[in-house]
Amino acid sequence: MIKDKKGQLSLEFILIFAISLIILTIFTIPLSEIAIGNTLEIADIANTKSDVTKIANGISEVYSQGQGSKKTIHIDSNRSYILKISPKSISTTLTLENGDTKTINSSHSYNNINTNINIEKGKNKIIINWKENLDYLTIQK
C-alpha cells in the first residue's frame, strides 16, 4: 500500500506542475508579444529617423557642392510614408499601432524647395540633383 500512495503523490505533483506551467505560459506569452511589438515599433521609428536624416544631409551636401552635383540615396523602409520637404526642413508623420502619431523632423540648408516624396515599403532610390542649367535642386524617386 505504501507504494500506491507514493505513486499517487508523484502523479499529483506532475499534474500540479503541468497546470502551473500552463497558467504561467498563458500569462507570459501575451506580455512578451506586447514587448516585442513595442520594440519593433521603436526600431522602425529609429530607422525612419535615420532615413529622413540621410535625405536631409544629402540635400545639404548637394546644395553646398553647387550646380552640377548629384547624390543618390538608397533607403530600405519597413513601412510606407510621405516625406514633406520644405525650406530648411524635412518631416514625416508615422501612425503607430496604438493609433498615436509620431512626427519625425530633420533640417537641411536649402531654401528653395517645397515637395512631397512617397516612400514605399521596401527599397527606394532617392536622387538629389542640381543640374548645371537650373537654379534649384530637384529631388526624385
Side-chain angles (χ1 to χ4, degrees), residues 10-24:
S10 296
L11 184 61
E12 289 173 356
F13 175 76
I14 291 172
L15 186 60
I16 291 171
F17 184 72
I19 291 172
S20 299
L21 282 178
I22 291 170
I23 291 172
L24 182 66

Side-chain angles (χ1 to χ4, degrees), residues 38-129:
N38 289 341
T39 303
L40 292 175
E41 193 166 60
I42 290 169
D44 192 30
I45 291 169
N47 289 338
T48 303
K49 172 68 175 169
S50 174
D51 294 341
V52 169
T53 302
K54 273 193 235 177
I55 294 171
N57 290 341
I59 293 170
S60 294
E61 183 180 326
V62 169
Y63 177 59
S64 67
Q65 291 175 356
Q67 287 182 333
S69 58
K70 179 179 181 179
K71 180 156 181 89
T72 302
I73 300 170
H74 296 275
I75 294 173
D76 192 8
S77 179
N78 293 332
R79 63 169 69 197
S80 298
Y81 55 90
I82 297 174
L83 279 177
K84 297 173 185 156
I85 305 172
S86 56
K88 300 268 185 183
S89 72
I90 182 171
S91 67
T92 189
T93 302
L94 302 178
T95 302
L96 307 178
E97 287 182 14
N98 64 3
D100 292 344
T101 57
K102 171 77 176 163
T103 301
I104 299 173
N105 297 306
S106 190
S107 60
H108 59 82
S109 55
Y110 188 59
N111 282 327
N112 191 18
I113 195 164
N114 197 0
T115 189
N116 292 335
I117 295 182
N118 292 322
I119 302 295
E120 297 171 4
K121 184 176 183 177
K123 297 185 185 276
N124 295 272
K125 181 178 174 182
I126 310 296
I127 300 170
I128 305 164
N129 194 6

